[in-house]
Coordinates of all heavy atoms in Angstrom, one line a residue:
M267 N -125.8 -25.5 30.3 CA -124.7 -24.5 30.4 C -123.3 -25.1 30.0 O -122.6 -24.6 29.3 CB -124.7 -24.0 31.8 CG -124.0 -22.6 32.0 SD -124.6 -21.3 30.9 CE -123.4 -20.1 31.2
L268 N -123.1 -26.3 30.6 CA -121.8 -27.0 30.3 C -121.6 -27.3 28.9 O -120.5 -27.3 28.4 CB -121.7 -28.3 31.2 CG -121.0 -28.1 32.5 CD1 -121.1 -29.5 33.3 CD2 -119.6 -27.7 32.4
E269 N -122.7 -27.6 28.2 CA -122.6 -27.9 26.8 C -122.1 -26.8 26.0 O -121.5 -27.0 24.9 CB -124.0 -28.3 26.2 CG -124.6 -29.5 26.9 CD -125.5 -29.2 28.1 OE1 -125.2 -28.3 28.8 OE2 -126.5 -29.8 28.2
I270 N -122.2 -25.6 26.5 CA -121.8 -24.4 25.8 C -120.3 -24.1 26.2 O -119.5 -23.8 25.4 CB -122.7 -23.2 26.0 CG1 -124.1 -23.5 25.6 CG2 -122.1 -22.0 25.3 CD1 -125.2 -22.6 26.1
I271 N -120.0 -24.2 27.5 CA -118.7 -23.9 28.0 C -117.6 -24.8 27.5 O -116.6 -24.4 27.0 CB -118.7 -23.8 29.5 CG1 -119.6 -22.6 30.0 CG2 -117.3 -23.6 30.1 CD1 -119.9 -22.5 31.4
I272 N -117.8 -26.1 27.6 CA -116.8 -27.1 27.2 C -116.3 -26.9 25.8 O -115.1 -26.8 25.5 CB -117.2 -28.5 27.6 CG1 -117.1 -28.6 29.2 CG2 -116.2 -29.5 27.0 CD1 -117.7 -29.9 29.7
P273 N -117.3 -26.9 24.8 CA -116.8 -26.7 23.4 C -116.0 -25.4 23.2 O -115.1 -25.3 22.5 CB -118.0 -26.8 22.6 CG -119.0 -27.4 23.4 CD -118.7 -27.1 24.8
T274 N -116.5 -24.4 24.0 CA -115.8 -23.1 23.9 C -114.4 -23.2 24.3 O -113.4 -22.7 23.7 CB -116.6 -22.0 24.7 OG1 -117.9 -22.1 24.3 CG2 -116.0 -20.6 24.4
I275 N -114.2 -23.8 25.5 CA -112.8 -24.0 26.0 C -111.9 -24.8 25.1 O -110.8 -24.4 24.8 CB -112.9 -24.7 27.4 CG1 -113.6 -23.7 28.4 CG2 -111.5 -25.1 27.9 CD1 -113.9 -24.4 29.8
W276 N -112.5 -25.8 24.5 CA -111.7 -26.6 23.5 C -111.3 -25.8 22.3 O -110.2 -26.0 21.8 CB -112.5 -27.9 23.1 CG -112.3 -29.0 24.1 CD1 -113.3 -29.5 25.0 CD2 -111.1 -29.7 24.4 NE1 -112.7 -30.5 25.8 CE2 -111.4 -30.6 25.4 CE3 -109.8 -29.7 23.9 CZ2 -110.4 -31.5 25.9 CZ3 -108.9 -30.6 24.4 CH2 -109.2 -31.5 25.4
T277 N -112.3 -25.0 21.9 CA -112.0 -24.2 20.7 C -110.9 -23.2 21.0 O -109.9 -23.1 20.2 CB -113.3 -23.5 20.2 OG1 -114.3 -24.4 20.1 CG2 -113.1 -22.8 18.9
C278 N -110.9 -22.6 22.2 CA -109.9 -21.7 22.6 C -108.6 -22.4 22.6 O -107.6 -21.9 22.2 CB -110.2 -21.1 23.9 SG -111.6 -19.9 23.8
L279 N -108.5 -23.6 23.2 CA -107.3 -24.3 23.4 C -106.7 -24.7 22.0 O -105.5 -24.5 21.8 CB -107.6 -25.6 24.1 CG -107.1 -25.6 25.6 CD1 -107.7 -26.8 26.3 CD2 -105.6 -25.7 25.6
A280 N -107.6 -25.1 21.1 CA -107.2 -25.5 19.8 C -106.6 -24.3 19.0 O -105.5 -24.4 18.4 CB -108.3 -26.1 19.0
V281 N -107.3 -23.2 19.1 CA -106.8 -21.9 18.5 C -105.5 -21.5 19.1 O -104.5 -21.2 18.4 CB -107.9 -20.8 18.6 CG1 -107.3 -19.5 18.1 CG2 -109.1 -21.2 17.8
Y282 N -105.4 -21.6 20.4 CA -104.2 -21.2 21.1 C -103.0 -22.1 20.7 O -101.9 -21.6 20.4 CB -104.4 -21.2 22.6 CG -103.1 -20.9 23.4 CD1 -102.7 -19.6 23.5 CD2 -102.3 -21.9 23.9 CE1 -101.5 -19.3 24.1 CE2 -101.2 -21.6 24.6 CZ -100.7 -20.3 24.7 OH -99.6 -20.0 25.3
S283 N -103.2 -23.4 20.7 CA -102.1 -24.3 20.3 C -101.7 -24.1 18.9 O -100.5 -24.2 18.5 CB -102.4 -25.7 20.7 OG -103.6 -26.1 20.0
M284 N -102.7 -23.8 18.0 CA -102.3 -23.6 16.6 C -101.5 -22.3 16.5 O -100.5 -22.3 15.8 CB -103.6 -23.5 15.8 CG -103.8 -24.7 14.9 SD -105.4 -24.6 14.1 CE -105.2 -23.2 13.0
W285 N -101.9 -21.3 17.2 CA -101.2 -20.0 17.2 C -99.8 -20.2 17.7 O -98.8 -19.8 17.2 CB -101.9 -19.0 18.0 CG -101.1 -17.8 18.3 CD1 -100.9 -16.7 17.4 CD2 -100.3 -17.5 19.4 NE1 -100.0 -15.8 18.0 CE2 -99.6 -16.3 19.2 CE3 -100.1 -18.2 20.6 CZ2 -98.8 -15.8 20.2 CZ3 -99.2 -17.7 21.6 CH2 -98.6 -16.5 21.4
Y286 N -99.7 -21.0 18.8 CA -98.4 -21.3 19.4 C -97.4 -21.9 18.5 O -96.3 -21.5 18.3 CB -98.6 -22.1 20.7 CG -97.3 -22.4 21.4 CD1 -96.7 -21.4 22.2 CD2 -96.6 -23.5 21.2 CE1 -95.5 -21.6 22.9 CE2 -95.4 -23.8 21.8 CZ -94.8 -22.8 22.7 OH -93.6 -23.1 23.3
F287 N -97.9 -23.0 17.8 CA -97.0 -23.8 17.0 C -96.7 -23.1 15.6 O -95.7 -23.3 15.0 CB -97.6 -25.2 16.7 CG -97.5 -26.0 17.9 CD1 -98.5 -26.5 18.6 CD2 -96.2 -26.4 18.4 CE1 -98.4 -27.3 19.7 CE2 -96.0 -27.2 19.5 CZ -97.2 -27.6 20.2
T288 N -97.6 -22.2 15.2 CA -97.3 -21.5 14.0 C -96.5 -20.2 14.2 O -95.7 -19.8 13.3 CB -98.5 -21.2 13.1 OG1 -99.5 -20.5 14.0 CG2 -99.2 -22.5 12.6
S289 N -96.7 -19.6 15.3 CA -96.0 -18.3 15.5 C -94.7 -18.4 16.4 O -93.8 -17.5 16.3 CB -96.9 -17.3 16.1 OG -97.2 -17.6 17.5
A290 N -94.6 -19.4 17.2 CA -93.5 -19.6 18.0 C -92.3 -20.1 17.2 O -92.0 -21.3 17.3 CB -93.8 -20.5 19.2
K291 N -91.8 -19.2 16.4 CA -90.6 -19.7 15.6 C -89.4 -18.8 15.9 O -89.5 -17.7 16.3 CB -91.0 -19.5 14.1 CG -92.1 -20.5 13.7 CD -92.4 -20.5 12.3 CE -93.4 -21.6 11.9 NZ -93.7 -21.6 10.5
Q292 N -88.3 -19.5 15.6 CA -87.1 -18.8 15.9 C -86.3 -18.6 14.5 O -86.5 -19.4 13.6 CB -86.2 -19.6 16.8 CG -86.4 -19.3 18.2 CD -85.1 -19.7 19.0 OE1 -84.3 -20.5 18.6 NE2 -85.0 -19.1 20.2
Y293 N -85.5 -17.6 14.5 CA -84.7 -17.4 13.3 C -83.7 -18.5 13.2 O -83.0 -18.8 14.2 CB -84.1 -16.0 13.3 CG -85.1 -14.9 13.2 CD1 -85.2 -14.0 14.3 CD2 -86.0 -14.8 12.2 CE1 -86.1 -13.0 14.2 CE2 -86.9 -13.8 12.1 CZ -87.0 -12.9 13.1 OH -87.9 -11.9 13.1
A294 N -83.5 -19.0 12.0 CA -82.4 -20.0 11.9 C -81.3 -19.4 11.0 O -81.6 -18.6 10.1 CB -83.0 -21.2 11.1
P295 N -80.1 -19.6 11.4 CA -79.0 -19.0 10.6 C -78.9 -19.6 9.2 O -79.2 -20.7 9.0 CB -77.8 -19.3 11.5 CG -78.1 -20.4 12.3 CD -79.6 -20.4 12.5
L296 N -78.5 -18.7 8.3 CA -78.4 -19.0 6.9 C -77.0 -18.7 6.5 O -76.4 -17.8 6.9 CB -79.4 -18.1 6.2 CG -79.9 -18.5 4.8 CD1 -80.7 -19.7 4.8 CD2 -80.7 -17.3 4.2
T297 N -76.4 -19.6 5.6 CA -75.1 -19.3 5.2 C -75.2 -18.4 3.9 O -76.2 -18.5 3.2 CB -74.3 -20.6 4.8 OG1 -75.0 -21.2 3.7 CG2 -74.2 -21.5 6.0
P298 N -74.2 -17.6 3.6 CA -74.3 -16.8 2.4 C -74.5 -17.6 1.1 O -75.2 -17.2 0.2 CB -72.9 -16.1 2.3 CG -72.4 -16.1 3.7 CD -73.0 -17.3 4.3
Q299 N -74.0 -18.8 1.1 CA -74.2 -19.7 -0.1 C -75.6 -20.1 -0.2 O -76.2 -20.1 -1.2 CB -73.3 -21.0 0.1 CG -71.8 -20.7 -0.1 CD -71.1 -20.3 1.1 OE1 -71.7 -20.0 2.2 NE2 -69.8 -20.1 1.1
E300 N -76.2 -20.5 1.0 CA -77.6 -20.8 1.0 C -78.5 -19.7 0.5 O -79.4 -19.9 -0.3 CB -78.0 -21.2 2.4 CG -78.0 -22.7 2.8 CD -78.6 -22.9 4.2 OE1 -78.0 -22.4 5.1 OE2 -79.6 -23.6 4.2
A301 N -78.2 -18.5 1.0 CA -79.0 -17.3 0.6 C -78.9 -17.1 -0.9 O -79.9 -16.9 -1.6 CB -78.4 -16.1 1.3
K302 N -77.7 -17.3 -1.5 CA -77.5 -17.2 -2.9 C -78.3 -18.2 -3.7 O -79.0 -17.9 -4.7 CB -76.0 -17.3 -3.3 CG -75.4 -16.0 -3.7 CD -74.0 -16.2 -4.2 CE -73.3 -14.9 -4.5 NZ -71.9 -15.1 -4.8
I303 N -78.3 -19.4 -3.2 CA -79.0 -20.5 -3.9 C -80.5 -20.3 -3.8 O -81.2 -20.4 -4.8 CB -78.6 -21.9 -3.3 CG1 -77.2 -22.2 -3.6 CG2 -79.5 -23.0 -3.8 CD1 -76.6 -23.3 -2.7
L304 N -81.0 -19.9 -2.6 CA -82.4 -19.6 -2.5 C -82.8 -18.5 -3.3 O -84.0 -18.5 -3.9 CB -82.7 -19.4 -1.0 CG -82.7 -20.6 -0.1 CD1 -82.6 -20.2 1.3 CD2 -83.9 -21.5 -0.3
W305 N -82.0 -17.5 -3.5 CA -82.3 -16.3 -4.3 C -82.4 -16.8 -5.8 O -83.3 -16.4 -6.5 CB -81.2 -15.3 -4.2 CG -81.5 -14.0 -4.9 CD1 -82.7 -13.3 -5.0 CD2 -80.6 -13.3 -5.7 NE1 -82.5 -12.2 -5.8 CE2 -81.3 -12.2 -6.3 CE3 -79.2 -13.5 -6.1 CZ2 -80.6 -11.2 -7.1 CZ3 -78.6 -12.5 -6.9 CH2 -79.3 -11.4 -7.4
K306 N -81.5 -17.6 -6.2 CA -81.5 -18.2 -7.6 C -82.8 -19.0 -7.8 O -83.4 -18.9 -8.9 CB -80.3 -19.0 -7.9 CG -78.9 -18.3 -7.8 CD -78.6 -17.8 -9.2 CE -77.2 -17.1 -9.2 NZ -77.3 -15.7 -9.6
I307 N -83.1 -19.8 -6.8 CA -84.4 -20.6 -6.9 C -85.6 -19.6 -7.1 O -86.4 -19.8 -8.0 CB -84.5 -21.5 -5.7 CG1 -83.5 -22.6 -5.7 CG2 -85.9 -22.1 -5.7 CD1 -83.3 -23.4 -4.5
H308 N -85.6 -18.6 -6.3 CA -86.7 -17.6 -6.4 C -86.8 -17.0 -7.8 O -87.8 -16.9 -8.3 CB -86.5 -16.5 -5.3 CG -87.0 -15.2 -5.7 ND1 -88.4 -14.9 -5.9 CD2 -86.3 -14.0 -6.1 CE1 -88.5 -13.6 -6.3 NE2 -87.3 -13.1 -6.4
Q309 N -85.6 -16.6 -8.3 CA -85.6 -16.0 -9.6 C -86.1 -16.9 -10.7 O -86.8 -16.5 -11.6 CB -84.1 -15.6 -9.9 CG -83.7 -14.3 -9.2 CD -82.3 -13.9 -9.5 OE1 -81.4 -14.6 -9.5 NE2 -82.2 -12.6 -9.9
K310 N -85.7 -18.2 -10.6 CA -86.1 -19.2 -11.6 C -87.6 -19.4 -11.5 O -88.3 -19.5 -12.5 CB -85.4 -20.5 -11.3 CG -84.1 -20.7 -12.2 CD -83.7 -22.1 -12.2 CE -82.6 -22.3 -13.2 NZ -82.1 -23.7 -13.2
R311 N -88.1 -19.6 -10.3 CA -89.5 -19.9 -10.1 C -90.4 -18.8 -10.5 O -91.5 -19.0 -11.1 CB -89.7 -20.2 -8.6 CG -89.5 -21.6 -8.2 CD -90.0 -21.9 -6.9 NE -89.6 -23.2 -6.4 CZ -89.6 -23.5 -5.1 NH1 -90.0 -22.7 -4.2 NH2 -89.2 -24.7 -4.7
S312 N -90.0 -17.5 -10.2 CA -90.9 -16.4 -10.4 C -90.5 -15.6 -11.7 O -91.2 -14.7 -12.0 CB -91.0 -15.5 -9.2 OG -89.7 -15.0 -9.0
G313 N -89.5 -16.0 -12.3 CA -89.0 -15.3 -13.5 C -88.6 -13.9 -13.2 O -88.6 -13.0 -14.0
C314 N -88.1 -13.8 -12.0 CA -87.6 -12.5 -11.5 C -86.3 -12.1 -12.2 O -85.4 -13.0 -12.3 CB -87.4 -12.5 -10.0 SG -86.6 -11.1 -9.3
K315 N -86.1 -10.9 -12.6 CA -84.9 -10.4 -13.3 C -84.0 -9.5 -12.5 O -83.1 -8.9 -13.0 CB -85.3 -9.7 -14.6 CG -86.0 -10.6 -15.6 CD -85.1 -11.3 -16.6 CE -85.8 -12.2 -17.6 NZ -86.3 -13.5 -17.0
S316 N -84.3 -9.4 -11.2 CA -83.6 -8.5 -10.4 C -82.1 -8.9 -10.3 O -81.8 -10.1 -10.3 CB -84.2 -8.5 -9.0 OG -85.4 -7.9 -9.0
K317 N -81.3 -7.9 -10.2 CA -79.8 -8.2 -10.1 C -79.3 -8.0 -8.7 O -78.1 -8.2 -8.5 CB -79.1 -7.2 -11.1 CG -79.4 -7.4 -12.5 CD -78.4 -8.2 -13.3 CE -78.7 -8.2 -14.8 NZ -79.9 -9.0 -15.1
K318 N -80.2 -7.5 -7.9 CA -79.7 -7.2 -6.5 C -80.5 -7.9 -5.5 O -81.7 -8.1 -5.6 CB -79.8 -5.7 -6.3 CG -78.6 -4.9 -6.7 CD -78.8 -3.5 -6.3 CE -77.8 -2.6 -7.0 NZ -78.1 -1.2 -6.7
M319 N -79.8 -8.3 -4.4 CA -80.5 -8.8 -3.2 C -79.8 -8.2 -2.0 O -78.7 -8.0 -2.0 CB -80.6 -10.3 -3.2 CG -79.3 -11.0 -3.1 SD -79.1 -11.7 -1.5 CE -78.5 -13.3 -1.9
R320 N -80.6 -8.1 -1.0 CA -80.1 -7.5 0.3 C -80.2 -8.6 1.3 O -81.2 -9.3 1.5 CB -81.0 -6.3 0.7 CG -80.4 -5.4 1.7 CD -81.4 -4.2 1.9 NE -82.7 -4.6 2.3 CZ -83.1 -4.8 3.6 NH1 -82.2 -4.6 4.5 NH2 -84.3 -5.2 3.9
K321 N -79.1 -8.7 2.1 CA -79.1 -9.7 3.1 C -79.8 -9.2 4.3 O -79.7 -8.0 4.7 CB -77.7 -10.1 3.5 CG -77.1 -11.0 2.4 CD -75.6 -11.2 2.6 CE -75.1 -12.1 1.5 NZ -73.7 -11.9 1.2
I322 N -80.6 -10.1 5.0 CA -81.3 -9.7 6.2 C -80.6 -10.3 7.3 O -80.4 -11.5 7.4 CB -82.8 -10.1 6.1 CG1 -83.5 -9.4 4.9 CG2 -83.5 -9.8 7.4 CD1 -84.9 -10.0 4.6
K323 N -80.3 -9.5 8.3 CA -79.5 -10.0 9.4 C -80.3 -9.7 10.7 O -81.1 -8.8 10.8 CB -78.2 -9.3 9.5 CG -77.2 -9.9 8.6 CD -75.8 -9.3 8.8 CE -74.8 -9.9 7.8 NZ -73.5 -9.4 8.1
H324 N -80.2 -10.6 11.6 CA -80.8 -10.5 12.9 C -79.7 -10.8 14.0 O -79.2 -11.9 14.0 CB -81.9 -11.6 13.1 CG -82.6 -11.6 14.4 ND1 -83.5 -10.6 14.8 CD2 -82.5 -12.4 15.4 CE1 -83.9 -10.8 16.0 NE2 -83.3 -11.9 16.4
K325 N -79.3 -9.7 14.7 CA -78.2 -9.8 15.6 C -77.0 -10.4 15.0 O -76.4 -11.4 15.5 CB -78.7 -10.7 16.8 CG -79.7 -9.9 17.7 CD -80.1 -10.8 18.9 CE -81.2 -10.2 19.6 NZ -81.9 -11.2 20.5
D326 N -76.5 -9.8 13.9 CA -75.3 -10.2 13.2 C -75.3 -11.6 12.6 O -74.3 -12.2 12.2 CB -74.1 -10.1 14.2 CG -73.7 -8.7 14.4 OD1 -73.9 -7.9 13.5 OD2 -73.1 -8.4 15.4
T327 N -76.5 -12.2 12.6 CA -76.6 -13.6 12.0 C -77.5 -13.4 10.7 O -78.5 -12.8 10.7 CB -77.3 -14.6 12.9 OG1 -76.7 -14.5 14.2 CG2 -77.2 -16.0 12.4
L328 N -77.0 -14.0 9.6 CA -77.7 -13.9 8.4 C -78.9 -14.9 8.5 O -78.7 -16.1 8.8 CB -76.8 -14.4 7.2 CG -77.4 -14.3 5.8 CD1 -77.7 -12.9 5.4 CD2 -76.4 -15.0 4.9
I329 N -80.1 -14.3 8.3 CA -81.3 -15.2 8.5 C -82.2 -15.2 7.2 O -83.1 -16.0 7.1 CB -82.2 -14.7 9.7 CG1 -82.5 -13.2 9.6 CG2 -81.5 -15.1 11.0 CD1 -83.8 -12.8 10.2
G330 N -81.8 -14.3 6.2 CA -82.6 -14.3 5.1 C -82.1 -13.3 4.1 O -81.1 -12.7 4.2
F331 N -83.0 -13.0 3.1 CA -82.6 -12.0 2.1 C -83.8 -11.4 1.5 O -84.9 -11.9 1.6 CB -81.8 -12.6 1.0 CG -82.5 -13.6 0.2 CD1 -83.3 -13.2 -0.9 CD2 -82.5 -15.0 0.5 CE1 -84.0 -14.2 -1.7 CE2 -83.2 -15.9 -0.2 CZ -84.0 -15.5 -1.3
Q332 N -83.6 -10.2 0.9 CA -84.7 -9.5 0.2 C -84.3 -9.2 -1.2 O -83.3 -8.6 -1.4 CB -85.2 -8.3 1.0 CG -86.3 -7.6 0.2 CD -87.1 -6.7 1.1 OE1 -86.7 -6.3 2.2 NE2 -88.3 -6.4 0.7
C333 N -85.0 -9.7 -2.1 CA -84.7 -9.4 -3.5 C -85.2 -8.0 -3.8 O -86.2 -7.5 -3.2 CB -85.5 -10.5 -4.4 SG -85.2 -10.3 -6.1
S334 N -84.6 -7.4 -4.8 CA -85.0 -6.0 -5.1 C -86.4 -5.9 -5.7 O -87.0 -4.9 -5.9 CB -84.0 -5.3 -6.0 OG -83.7 -6.1 -7.1
C335 N -87.0 -7.1 -6.1 CA -88.4 -7.1 -6.6 C -89.4 -7.1 -5.4 O -90.6 -6.9 -5.7 CB -88.6 -8.3 -7.5 SG -88.8 -9.9 -6.5
G336 N -88.9 -7.2 -4.2 CA -89.7 -7.2 -3.1 C -89.9 -8.5 -2.4 O -90.4 -8.6 -1.3
Y337 N -89.4 -9.6 -3.1 CA -89.5 -10.9 -2.5 C -88.6 -11.0 -1.3 O -87.5 -10.6 -1.3 CB -89.1 -11.9 -3.5 CG -89.1 -13.4 -3.0 CD1 -90.2 -14.1 -2.8 CD2 -87.9 -13.9 -2.5 CE1 -90.2 -15.4 -2.3 CE2 -87.8 -15.2 -2.0 CZ -89.0 -15.9 -1.9 OH -88.9 -17.2 -1.4
R338 N -89.2 -11.6 -0.2 CA -88.4 -11.7 1.0 C -88.4 -13.1 1.5 O -89.4 -13.8 1.5 CB -89.2 -10.9 2.1 CG -88.3 -10.1 2.9 CD -89.1 -9.1 3.7 NE -88.3 -8.6 4.8 CZ -88.7 -8.3 6.0 NH1 -90.0 -8.4 6.2 NH2 -87.9 -8.0 6.9
Y339 N -87.3 -13.6 1.9 CA -87.2 -14.9 2.4 C -86.5 -14.8 3.8 O -85.4 -14.3 3.9 CB -86.3 -15.8 1.5 CG -86.1 -17.2 2.1 CD1 -87.1 -18.2 1.9 CD2 -85.0 -17.5 2.9 CE1 -86.9 -19.5 2.5 CE2 -84.9 -18.7 3.5 CZ -85.8 -19.7 3.3 OH -85.6 -20.9 3.8
I340 N -87.1 -15.4 4.8 CA -86.5 -15.4 6.1 C -86.6 -16.9 6.6 O -87.7 -17.5 6.6 CB -87.2 -14.5 7.1 CG1 -86.8 -13.0 6.7 CG2 -86.7 -14.8 8.6 CD1 -87.4 -12.0 7.6
K341 N -85.4 -17.4 6.9 CA -85.4 -18.8 7.4 C -85.8 -18.8 8.8 O -85.2 -18.2 9.7 CB -84.0 -19.4 7.2 CG -84.0 -20.9 7.4 CD -82.6 -21.3 7.1 CE -82.5 -22.8 7.4 NZ -81.1 -23.3 7.2
K342 N -86.8 -19.6 9.1 CA -87.3 -19.7 10.5 C -87.5 -21.2 10.8 O -87.7 -22.0 9.9 CB -88.7 -19.0 10.7 CG -88.5 -17.5 10.8 CD -89.9 -16.9 11.0 CE -89.8 -15.4 11.1 NZ -91.1 -14.8 11.2
Q343 N -87.3 -21.5 12.0 CA -87.6 -22.9 12.4 C -88.5 -22.8 13.7 O -88.3 -22.0 14.5 CB -86.4 -23.7 12.6 CG -85.4 -23.1 13.6 CD -84.2 -24.0 13.8 OE1 -83.4 -23.9 14.7 NE2 -84.0 -24.9 12.8
P344 N -89.4 -23.8 13.7 CA -90.3 -23.8 15.0 C -89.4 -24.2 16.2 O -88.5 -25.0 16.1 CB -91.3 -24.8 14.7 CG -91.1 -25.3 13.3 CD -89.8 -24.8 12.8
I345 N -89.8 -23.6 17.3 CA -89.1 -23.9 18.5 C -89.1 -25.4 18.9 O -88.2 -26.0 19.3 CB -89.6 -23.0 19.7 CG1 -89.1 -21.6 19.6 CG2 -89.3 -23.6 21.1 CD1 -89.8 -20.6 20.5
V346 N -90.2 -26.0 18.5 CA -90.4 -27.4 18.9 C -89.4 -28.3 18.2 O -89.1 -29.4 18.6 CB -91.8 -28.0 18.5 CG1 -92.8 -27.5 19.6 CG2 -92.2 -27.6 17.1
L347 N -88.8 -27.8 17.1 CA -87.8 -28.6 16.3 C -86.4 -28.3 16.8 O -85.4 -28.8 16.2 CB -87.9 -28.4 14.8 CG -89.2 -28.9 14.2 CD1 -89.2 -28.6 12.7 CD2 -89.3 -30.4 14.4
K348 N -86.3 -27.4 17.7 CA -84.9 -26.9 18.1 C -84.4 -27.8 19.2 O -85.0 -27.8 20.3 CB -85.0 -25.4 18.5 CG -83.6 -24.8 18.4 CD -83.6 -23.4 18.9 CE -82.3 -22.9 19.2 NZ -82.1 -22.5 20.6
Y349 N -83.3 -28.4 19.0 CA -82.7 -29.3 20.0 C -81.5 -28.6 20.5 O -80.8 -27.9 19.7 CB -82.4 -30.6 19.5 CG -83.6 -31.4 19.1 CD1 -83.9 -31.6 17.7 CD2 -84.4 -32.0 20.0 CE1 -85.0 -32.3 17.3 CE2 -85.6 -32.7 19.7 CZ -85.8 -32.8 18.3 OH -86.9 -33.5 17.9
P350 N -81.1 -28.7 21.7 CA -79.8 -28.1 22.2 C -78.7 -28.8 21.4 O -78.7 -30.0 21.2 CB -79.8 -28.4 23.7 CG -80.8 -29.5 23.9 CD -81.8 -29.4 22.8
K351 N -77.7 -27.9 21.1 CA -76.6 -28.4 20.4 C -75.6 -29.2 21.3 O -75.3 -28.7 22.4 CB -75.8 -27.3 19.7 CG -76.3 -27.0 18.3 CD -75.5 -25.9 17.7 CE -76.3 -25.3 16.5 NZ -75.9 -24.0 16.2
I352 N -75.3 -30.3 20.9 CA -74.3 -31.1 21.7 C -72.9 -30.8 21.2 O -72.6 -31.1 20.0 CB -74.7 -32.6 21.6 CG1 -76.1 -32.8 22.2 CG2 -73.6 -33.4 22.4 CD1 -76.7 -34.1 21.8
Q353 N -72.1 -30.3 22.1 CA -70.8 -30.0 21.7 C -69.9 -31.2 21.9 O -69.9 -31.8 23.0 CB -70.2 -28.9 22.6 CG -71.0 -27.5 22.4 CD -70.7 -26.9 21.1 OE1 -69.6 -27.0 20.5 NE2 -71.7 -26.1 20.6
P354 N -69.1 -31.6 20.9 CA -68.2 -32.7 21.1 C -67.1 -32.4 22.1 O -66.5 -31.3 22.1 CB -67.6 -33.0 19.7 CG -67.9 -31.7 18.9 CD -69.0 -31.0 19.6
E355 N -66.9 -33.3 22.9 CA -65.9 -33.1 24.0 C -64.5 -33.6 23.5 O -64.4 -34.5 22.8 CB -66.2 -33.9 25.2 CG -67.3 -33.3 26.0 CD -67.7 -34.1 27.3 OE1 -66.8 -34.5 28.0 OE2 -68.9 -34.3 27.5
N356 N -63.6 -32.8 23.8 CA -62.2 -33.1 23.4 C -61.4 -33.9 24.4 O -61.6 -33.6 25.6 CB -61.4 -31.8 23.1 CG -62.0 -31.1 21.9 OD1 -62.4 -31.7 20.9 ND2 -62.1 -29.8 22.0
Ligands
ZN36 ZN1 -87.0 -11.2 -7.1

């Protein structure tokens, strides 16, 4: 019986941790310049001829853009890479 239960538990754990690390992401702020550059890169890479892009905001913070061809870019960063910001003391 144990031979069946233990591998099952491990599989569940592995799946869970994979899900956690891939889905537990936070939006990262993007600067308008970055958005423009990334849009240009997208256009070059895909040969996209769109003249418009829409900025995607999350709580007043620019986090990505959507090209009028349907391409969407959202900057995300995994929570595990997020460190608290250290404010310089005056
Ligand atoms: Zn496009």
